[in-house]
Amino acid sequence: MSAIAFPVNEAKAVERPHALRDPDWVRWSLTAIAIGFIGLFLCLPLGLVMVEAFSKGWQTYWSALTQPDAQSAMQLTLLTALVTVPLNTVFGVAAAWAITRFEFRGKSLLTTLIDLPFSVSPVISGLIFVLLFGAQGWFGEWLSAHDVKVMFAVPGIMLATLFITFPFVARELIPLMQEMGSEEEEAALSLGASGWQTFFLVTLPNIKWALLYGVLLCNARAMGEFGAVSVVSGHIRGLTNTLPLHVEVSYNEYDFVGAFASASILAGLAIVTLVLKSVLEWQQGRR
Amino acid sequence: MKTKIGLKTGLLAASLLISGAAFADRTLLNVSYDPTRELYQQFNQEFVKYWKEKTGETVTIQQSHGGAGKQARAVIDGLDADVLTLAISYDIDKIAANAKLLPTDWQKRLPNNSVPYTSTMVFLVRKGNPKGIKNWDDLVKEGVSVVTPNPKTSGGARYNYLAAWAFAEKTYGSKEAAKDFVKKLYKNVPVLDSGARGSTTTFLQRGIGDVLLTWENEAYLAIKELGKGEVEIIVPPFSILAETPVAVVDTVVDKHGTRDLAEAYLNYLYSPAGQKLAAKNFYRPTDTKVVDAVDLANFPQLERVTVDQAFGGWANVQKDHFDDKAIFDQIYAP
């Protein structure tokens, strides 16, 4: 249509209109500022982590990562992610399904509540669990009477991580599923598919990239969470220290190589996440 | 080890219904404050060896470290400590009073008021002591930047504050003068970290401040670990006797069936082997006869006032100085 309205401009379509053209020095200096900022605040610190981690050579780096406390911290971090990410994937899909496919009272309240873990400080999230399950908390007496350890043990760490990472999957799915509408699913149902068939054959293929993206972010946060986990962990070496907590412990013990070696694992995880994220975005964009 | 942890934590995660009884070997959890990490790393190894030789049983000692106040809070909230090795007796008093995990007269159960080793607060200054800091009154001079942690959260910081107060009250003769003195002192503090270790890194790694007020043991360790030739220790002629108490947590050891082990563990701190290790890690032993002379030489003589003598006990200290709106809140404005 614009071609008809402004036929003169068609030939020049590749060039930007004069009003939007900035002098070269403005463009270059803006780009330089952006790159400089990224270099100073992202690449430099990340590089420093690596430099410090390897400051005493490969062998020290390797032995820092293979010492028992570091190993058990890694195992605990992996275990936490293995438990919380699948659970939150199921919760997230269920929540997104409920919100986008049904009308019910309190729906907008539910949508807001899903965001709650994003809006409270992680330290507060940790304290919530101490107030609930700690020895002086609401359920404290019952739990200790039945000899159940939640706080300052692995279950507490999982609960806190579950809470913190709850929104990631649902937040990715809700806008997409809203946009998609429910026509395809209704068609499937009216052609005689069961509820599960509809979900696995129609809904899931449509949301898979967004779902993977949400799972990825959820996983990154589950492995990297510090604040909430620090409150509920009790910092027992080799038992309730996750990798981020192990970084802090090593740093406080003047074991800088150990601290930065563990940090380099977390940084590596972040980079892998970023790469996978770009791949997923590219896949989503292609659709 | 790998399978043991995986299996155990897996079960925990699945059911939340596994109790401490799942352990085959007995374990002991020692909840301690920040600067004792190195001491207990060595002590635990020796104790495990000693216990194995004595009884044939293999035990595991677990450690948890953090700011003393924070650790006490965690124990009150359910961190299952079999033994406590904290910085000030007030923190254990709080556990006894609030969570009733041990009797309030716990301090009478072990020798020397349940204090196996003591310490004091000293100054760490830059090489050559360019600001000429020798005593507490040098800290309030203009242009001297002092690093100390927050007395609301750190046991060591409380001792720093109280030592300064006791010095001023003794030197200038009144509580009013002491209050003015600490007010001037905290004007010179650019940053309050939450724990002793944080302050040490602020001073050494980040290079902030002219003088660090810290535990004697922390000062020696800092020099050993990072500051050889960069900083030096100044022991003032007057400081405070830092009594770092230990206690068995009755409710927890009875639940775990670890009372004999926990008591043996704490008693071992008083033994010649324990006292030697304390001295090697720059804690002042209570039994100096059994300790190597080389290690004793690290501890210069000085006048050390106790909290009980100067302030009438920790309960008073808390009420007068560190409660909300008490003296510390009045004098410190960030």
Side-chain angles (χ1 to χ4, degrees):
Chain A
M1 191 183 135
S2 64
I4 300 165
F6 309 100
V8 200
N9 277 354
E10 204 187 355
K12 284 183 170 182
V14 281
E15 262 186 61
R16 299 159 123 235
H18 180 77
L20 293 180
R21 234 179 290 147
D22 287 315
D24 279 353
W25 67 270
V26 173
R27 279 195 279 167
W28 285 114
S29 51
L30 279 177
T31 314
I33 288 173
I35 289 178
F37 188 83
I38 289 172
L40 202 62
F41 289 94
L42 288 175
C43 301
L44 193 67
L46 208 59
L48 262 180
V49 167
M50 297 298 171
V51 169
E52 286 284 338
F54 289 104
S55 61
K56 294 200 176 131
W58 264 103
Q59 270 165 347
T60 332
Y61 177 82
W62 187 245
S63 68
L65 288 182
T66 45
Q67 57 143 309
D69 285 347
Q71 291 276 303
S72 71
M74 278 182 228
Q75 282 170 9
L76 180 58
T77 300
L78 284 177
L79 183 74
T80 308
L82 273 177
V83 172
T84 56
V85 173
L87 283 175
N88 269 339
T89 307
V90 175
F91 293 157
V93 171
W97 182 274
I99 283 170
T100 56
R101 295 294 179 260
F102 300 103
E103 285 302 327
F104 51 91
R105 283 168 68 89
K107 187 167 132 171
S108 58
L109 182 69
L110 181 65
T111 319
T112 316
L113 279 180
I114 287 176
D115 275 346
L116 189 71
F118 274 165
S119 48
V120 287
S121 155
V123 176
I124 306 297
S125 317
L127 281 176
I128 293 167
F129 288 104
V130 172
L131 290 178
L132 279 179
F133 300 111
Q136 316 295 315
W138 280 17
F139 305 118
E141 220 162 293
W142 188 90
L143 289 172
S144 73
H146 292 75
D147 213 8
V148 183
K149 274 306 283 171
V150 176
M151 274 307 101
F152 310 112
V154 176
I157 293 173
M158 304 230 167
L159 279 176
T161 312
L162 207 57
F163 180 83
I164 290 287
T165 57
F166 182 71
F168 286 95
V169 172
R171 287 307 309 166
E172 283 305 315
L173 292 184
I174 290 170
L176 180 73
M177 288 172 73
Q178 248 159 5
E179 195 190 335
M180 268 169 30
S182 54
E183 287 86 357
E184 288 185 36
E185 283 140 17
E186 280 161 14
L189 285 172
S190 67
L191 289 173
S194 73
W196 287 113
Q197 279 175 324
T198 311
F199 176 75
F200 282 108
L201 297 175
V202 179
T203 313
L204 198 58
N206 279 330
I207 61 168
K208 68 180 173 202
W209 295 117
L211 182 62
L212 272 178
Y213 187 62
V215 167
L216 187 72
L217 292 181
C218 179
N219 180 58
R221 184 65 186 267
M223 289 189 168
E225 175 56 26
F226 177 84
V229 170
S230 168
V231 175
V232 300
S233 138
H235 303 95
I236 308 170
R237 317 174 122 253
L239 206 65
T240 62
N241 269 343
T242 59
L243 206 51
L245 297 183
H246 182 72
V247 173
E248 190 203 22
V249 167
S250 311
Y251 187 79
N252 276 339
E253 285 171 9
Y254 303 117
D255 176 10
F256 299 119
V257 171
F260 284 106
S262 304
S264 75
I265 299 285
L266 288 170
L269 178 80
I271 291 169
V272 170
T273 306
L274 275 180
V275 171
L276 286 176
K277 178 174 166 270
S278 314
V279 171
L280 288 178
E281 268 169 357
W282 175 70
Q283 284 282 6
Q284 255 176 314
R286 222 173 46 156
R287 270 172 38 88
Chain B
M1 168 141 182
K2 193 172 183 168
T3 49
K4 190 177 138 203
I5 283 185
L7 183 67
K8 196 179 73 212
T9 40
L11 283 172
L12 278 167
S15 66
L16 311 187
L17 280 170
I18 295 290
S19 72
F23 292 102
D25 297 331
R26 288 199 296 173
T27 57
L28 206 62
L29 175 59
N30 176 2
V31 171
S32 195
Y33 61 108
D34 248 338
T36 57
R37 299 160 195 264
E38 291 74 17
L39 168 64
Y40 282 108
Q41 257 169 27
Q42 297 167 27
F43 180 80
N44 291 348
Q45 274 181 6
E46 289 225 0
F47 177 76
V48 167
K49 219 162 59 190
Y50 156 82
W51 190 253
K52 174 96 187 160
E53 273 163 24
K54 192 179 162 212
T55 65
E57 184 190 7
T58 309
V59 292
T60 313
I61 315 288
Q62 290 164 343
Q63 283 295 140
S64 168
H65 294 277
K70 188 183 164 195
Q71 293 292 79
R73 185 69 241 175
V75 173
I76 290 172
D77 284 329
L79 179 59
D80 258 349
D82 297 276
V83 296
L84 301 165
T85 54
L86 292 180
I88 56 180
S89 56
Y90 183 71
D91 283 328
I92 304 185
D93 284 340
K94 266 193 301 193
I95 295 169
N98 292 348
K100 305 198 168 44
L101 299 176
L102 67 170
T104 45
D105 66 345
W106 59 272
Q107 215 162 357
K108 298 206 181 84
R109 298 193 295 190
L110 284 165
N112 194 30
N113 265 336
S114 293
V115 178
Y117 45 81
T118 68
S119 190
T120 191
M121 308 317 283
V122 301
F123 309 153
L124 200 63
V125 298
R126 307 273 171 212
K127 192 189 174 186
N129 197 2
K131 298 270 165 121
I133 294 157
K134 293 273 173 237
N135 206 342
W136 294 91
D137 48 0
D138 294 321
L139 302 178
V140 299
K141 287 184 180 153
E142 208 146 300
V144 173
S145 171
V146 182
V147 176
T148 173
N150 186 348
K152 294 248 177 182
T153 52
S154 154
R158 292 187 174 204
Y159 282 121
N160 286 337
Y161 170 98
L162 294 174
W165 182 286
F167 166 85
E169 199 175 335
K170 191 181 108 158
T171 314
Y172 308 115
S174 79
K175 283 198 181 353
E176 282 312 304
K179 190 172 167 181
D180 273 352
F181 182 82
V182 290
K183 185 171 184 177
K184 267 198 238 159
L185 172 59
Y186 278 88
K187 266 215 179 87
N188 282 348
V189 178
V191 48
L192 287 181
D193 287 288
S194 69
R197 210 32 86 77
S199 281
T200 314
T201 22
T202 297
F203 183 72
L204 283 173
Q205 295 287 99
R206 293 167 58 198
I208 291 174
D210 301 308
V211 53
L212 170 72
L213 311 187
T214 192
W215 301 92
E216 186 174 44
N217 52 280
E218 182 76 0
Y220 273 111
L221 181 75
I223 287 190
K224 198 172 111 188
E225 293 285 343
L226 327 145
K228 222 165 236 164
E230 287 172 34
V231 288
E232 49 192 81
I233 295 176
I234 303 289
V235 179
F238 173 93
S239 191
I240 198 158
L241 177 67
E243 294 172 292
T244 47
V246 300
V248 167
V249 185
D250 296 63
T251 315
V252 177
V253 294
D254 287 343
K255 195 171 78 187
H256 292 174
T258 48
R259 180 178 284 278
D260 58 323
L261 184 63
E263 281 172 354
Y265 180 79
L266 292 188
N267 278 320
Y268 197 62
L269 282 170
Y270 291 90
S271 75
Q275 293 286 301
K276 270 185 198 167
L277 266 183
K280 280 205 192 318
N281 284 281
F282 314 110
Y283 294 86
R284 296 192 175 214
T286 46
D287 184 0
T288 48
K289 289 189 292 291
V290 299
V291 172
D292 299 341
V294 184
D295 293 327
L296 275 186
N298 284 328
F299 305 123
Q301 289 292 317
L302 75 162
E303 187 188 346
R304 291 194 291 171
V305 69
T306 69
V307 172
D308 285 349
Q309 287 161 6
F311 300 93
W314 280 106
N316 284 333
V317 167
Q318 181 67 25
K319 185 162 60 74
D320 296 344
H321 294 271
F322 300 124
D323 271 346
D324 267 351
K325 302 198 176 78
I327 296 174
F328 183 74
D329 280 348
Q330 295 163 26
I331 61 126
Y332 183 72

